[in-house]
Amino acid sequence: MPWFIELLKATGLAVVIFTFLAVVSAMFGVYLERKISGWIQARLGPKHVGPQGLLQTVADTVKLLQKEHITPRNADALIFNAAPVIVAVAALLDWIVIPFGKFGGRVLVVRDINIGVLYFAAMASVTVIGIISGGWSSNNKYALLGGLRSAAQMISYEIPLALGILWVAMVAGTLSTVGIVDAQVKQGSWFMFKLPPPIGWFGLPFGILASLTFLTAATAEVNRVPFDLPEAESELVAGYFAEYTGMRFALFQLGEYGEMFGMAGVATIMFFGGWTEPHLQPWMWLLVTLASLVVVAVILFSGLRQTLLVRPILILASLGFLLSLVMFFGSRAGLSPVLPSPVWFLTKLFALVFFLMWMRWTYPRLRLDQLLNLSWKVLLPLGLLNLVATGFVLTAWGR
Amino acid sequence: MGELAAFMILSLVTLIPAVVVVTSSNIVRAALSLVPTFLGVTGLYVMLQAEFVAGIQVLIYAGAITVLILFVIMLTAGGTGARTRQINEQVPLGAMAAVWLAFVLIVIFSRTVWPVLAGALPAYNVIAVGNAFLTDYVLIFEVTSLVLLVSLVGAIVIARREE
């Protein structure tokens, strides 16, 4: 391919990903976050702009675009202005290796490079530089504290994160994101539940342990509650972006949400089968449908309806009901892929994002020492032991 | 032609921030300038088709080492505000040493007969790197890990003594 077509393709895809990030993950993500948090805490959330407040984030973005850029007088202007760009671009680059599904035999991915998940981890680690330089250059003690906290936190949690990636790379035998999904297609199940035959279901504890370690580390890596010490509102104003105004502030938000969706996407690919459709018998889908219907009915027609804690379970059960109903009729009708693969990818992605938001609005923030203890004394040994045990099982009974 | 252009651009990306690192009077800017330097080197690795090393370069050097350096600077009392002088009265001496070193290097590079025809690259060099580490170079690999472990234990011992 000539270089200018290559360049045009790269530019076009960058625009597409950026639009996806800005519109779907940042705007829609912020809206979802506010709605879900309001719902969990018995508030209404955004309500007035557009139907059910759907256009609230669009209005906020337009407002932020109009705001003045303020650079504090004693700030290091060059670094101060570059920091939000680093964070946003790092989040943008994450998405290059994430496959969205299959369309007519082609995998919908910008570039399937053979170090896919390693590249993802590398780009996620670049975010720290943006955060720490933003925190320092603001010349504000709260911002500096936030930046330092984030550096300590993100460097500590990169290790369990890398161990989770290493686990998947070991089981799949490849680092490419498309290759990992293909390995799960080949063994006929997600890595969370099964290891390659002949181990099968005996791999369940390893897979669940690995995915939980990875998800915990990923939550910490994107600085979300219960790990949001770098931007703890009640102690540090807003942490590392306390001094930022207007669109630069929005770029930090874009980076954070883009990174969160990216982490959810990689977790989907590594542990939840990516774009593949779960294959169950029709009667099993019917069973799932009935089970979720029972859960919904029990919650709606009993005193539990008043309990805020069960609300996320209610929404998950009703969504599961709808999905499994569609799958039941689809598989009865004999359709082989009932739903197109991007739909499955986005469903799994949003289920994980919902899970992360649920965690955020349920648990209180950890203290700094608890945070570092969790990483170094719990997640790191667990991840290492899991890696060794899985490696042993794979060599003893596997290939 | 395209390869040469890419090499030139990557060299500039590597070298210009490297000059800033050794000349800037602001130590935080000097540390931050390491980032584009490391990324430029990453580009050179990609050009050499060593994509695994390139990924590790970003992960370890740009993502961790720089952050560690910044962390230490920011925790040092008065470390960030001070205008450090990177040049002292020994400039002529240093310049002489640098010119001599450059001369020696250029002579060596131009006199050496470089093997131009390399063997075929493995299609997936992560596996090749792993195999090399755990077969031919396993002793070196283990000794390096031991060095890292000793430094880790040393850091913990030093930190514990203050209590």
Side-chain angles (χ1 to χ4, degrees):
Chain A
M1 209 186 293
W3 62 272
F4 54 91
I5 296 183
E6 196 80 19
L7 202 67
L8 271 181
K9 191 182 152 200
T11 318
L13 284 171
V15 170
V16 169
I17 298 186
F18 195 76
T19 317
F20 174 82
L21 265 192
V23 175
V24 175
S25 80
M27 284 191 186
F28 194 58
V30 169
Y31 173 74
L32 272 185
E33 180 101 64
R34 294 175 68 179
K35 267 301 190 200
I36 291 172
S37 67
W39 193 59
I40 289 179
Q41 299 176 336
R43 297 185 280 113
L44 286 177
K47 194 83 182 155
H48 290 291
V49 188
Q52 290 298 311
L54 205 59
L55 297 177
Q56 179 67 51
T57 337
V58 181
D60 285 348
T61 313
V62 172
K63 183 190 78 180
L64 283 171
L65 273 171
Q66 298 168 359
K67 292 285 178 187
E68 184 190 355
H69 290 310
I70 300 172
T71 307
R73 187 174 298 153
N74 285 326
D76 192 320
L78 184 70
I79 302 177
F80 184 80
N81 294 331
V85 181
I86 298 178
V87 174
V89 168
L92 180 70
L93 287 174
D94 278 351
W95 283 87
I96 287 180
V97 292
I98 294 180
F100 284 83
K102 253 183 171 168
F103 185 74
R106 273 180 68 99
V107 180
L108 298 174
V109 59
V110 177
R111 180 91 15 146
D112 171 32
I113 48 182
N114 56 9
I115 52 160
V117 279
L118 175 71
Y119 169 87
F120 180 86
M123 286 306 134
S125 76
V126 169
T127 317
V128 199
I129 299 168
I131 287 178
I132 196 172
S133 56
W136 174 77
S137 62
S138 303
N139 202 13
N140 173 330
K141 58 186 170 193
Y142 298 120
L144 180 62
L145 270 177
L148 285 179
R149 280 183 182 187
S150 92
Q153 171 178 337
M154 291 173 88
I155 285 201
S156 316
Y157 277 88
E158 242 162 50
I159 300 166
L161 194 81
L163 284 176
I165 289 175
L166 212 57
W167 187 89
V168 173
M170 189 174 73
V171 176
T174 173
L175 286 171
S176 139
T177 42
V178 177
I180 287 171
V181 178
D182 282 341
Q184 295 178 65
V185 173
K186 208 172 123 198
Q187 72 163 19
S189 174
W190 302 351
F191 279 155
M192 190 184 177
F193 298 132
K194 277 189 188 176
L195 287 178
I199 302 163
W201 281 106
F202 293 108
L204 183 72
F206 303 114
I208 288 193
L209 199 60
S211 48
L212 280 183
T213 319
F214 180 82
L215 273 182
T216 316
T219 320
E221 192 72 11
V222 294
N223 297 326
R224 288 177 61 83
V225 182
F227 309 104
D228 74 328
L229 292 110
E231 46 193 87
E233 296 93 346
S234 43
E235 5 181 327
L236 294 180
V237 193
Y240 55 87
F241 55 77
E243 292 284 356
Y244 283 89
T245 53
M247 213 47 213
R248 297 206 181 103
F249 168 78
L251 278 181
F252 270 119
Q253 293 287 322
L254 174 77
E256 190 186 324
Y257 277 87
E259 194 93 353
M260 178 178 98
F261 274 67
M263 286 287 177
V266 160
T268 307
I269 286 156
M270 295 201 312
F271 297 106
F272 302 95
W275 67 79
T276 54
E277 190 174 84
H279 288 295
L280 296 179
Q281 298 296 322
W283 63 271
M284 286 176 85
W285 282 117
L286 191 65
L287 212 65
V288 175
T289 316
L290 291 178
S292 39
L293 193 65
V294 166
V295 171
V296 171
V298 164
I299 290 174
L300 278 184
F301 295 108
S302 69
L304 279 174
R305 195 152 56 97
Q306 308 296 331
T307 319
L308 293 177
L309 267 179
V310 299
R311 283 188 160 181
I313 303 176
L314 175 67
I315 199 171
L316 280 183
S318 38
L319 285 179
F321 167 69
L322 284 179
L323 198 65
S324 49
L325 200 66
V326 170
M327 285 306 294
F328 171 62
F329 284 114
S331 48
R332 275 291 296 278
L335 295 170
S336 169
V338 180
L339 293 171
S341 52
V343 173
W344 276 110
F345 178 75
L346 289 178
T347 308
K348 291 171 186 175
L349 177 77
F350 275 99
L352 270 181
V353 166
F354 179 80
F355 178 76
L356 289 178
M357 287 180 178
W358 183 10
M359 290 295 117
R360 170 165 184 175
W361 297 100
T362 309
Y363 286 107
R365 181 180 305 134
L366 292 176
R367 235 173 31 229
L368 191 61
D369 58 327
Q370 294 170 332
L371 176 96
L372 293 178
N373 274 348
L374 178 67
S375 167
W376 292 101
K377 294 187 182 165
V378 180
L379 291 182
L380 179 63
L382 265 186
L384 273 177
L385 278 179
N386 193 19
L387 199 66
V388 171
T390 316
F392 180 74
V393 169
L394 278 178
T395 34
W397 288 286
R399 306 162 198 154
Chain B
M1 185 60 206
E3 205 162 291
L4 185 69
F7 179 76
M8 297 268 222
I9 294 169
L10 284 173
S11 313
L12 285 182
V13 169
T14 313
L15 288 177
I16 294 174
V19 172
V20 177
V21 173
V22 291
T23 52
S24 171
S25 60
N26 185 331
I27 193 164
V28 176
R29 279 195 179 186
L32 273 176
S33 303
L34 283 172
V35 178
T37 308
F38 288 146
L39 293 182
V41 175
T42 309
L44 293 178
Y45 284 141
V46 172
M47 281 187 68
L48 292 170
Q49 304 188 14
E51 65 278 338
F52 179 70
V53 185
I56 292 293
Q57 167 87 7
V58 178
L59 188 67
I60 304 292
Y61 282 90
I65 301 279
T66 319
V67 172
L68 216 63
I69 292 174
L70 284 171
F71 201 76
V72 170
I73 294 171
M74 287 173 191
L75 282 184
T76 314
T80 58
R83 302 192 66 77
T84 41
R85 271 176 69 223
Q86 296 225 19
I87 295 175
N88 60 12
E89 58 281 352
Q90 294 184 334
V91 170
L93 215 60
M96 269 159 66
V99 168
W100 177 243
L101 184 67
F103 174 72
V104 170
L105 281 178
I106 288 171
V107 167
I108 291 175
F109 285 155
S110 52
R111 293 256 175 123
T112 314
V113 183
W114 297 100
V116 186
L117 276 177
L121 270 173
Y124 194 54
N125 60 31
V126 183
I127 292 175
V129 169
N131 279 338
F133 267 155
L134 291 179
T135 53
D136 294 351
Y137 304 103
V138 66
L139 187 68
I140 300 170
F141 182 64
E142 288 298 323
V143 169
T144 317
S145 334
L146 210 65
V147 169
L148 286 177
L149 184 70
V150 166
S151 63
L152 201 71
V153 172
I156 292 172
V157 167
I158 291 171
R160 287 290 253 201
R161 199 170 289 160
E162 288 175 5
E163 282 175 13

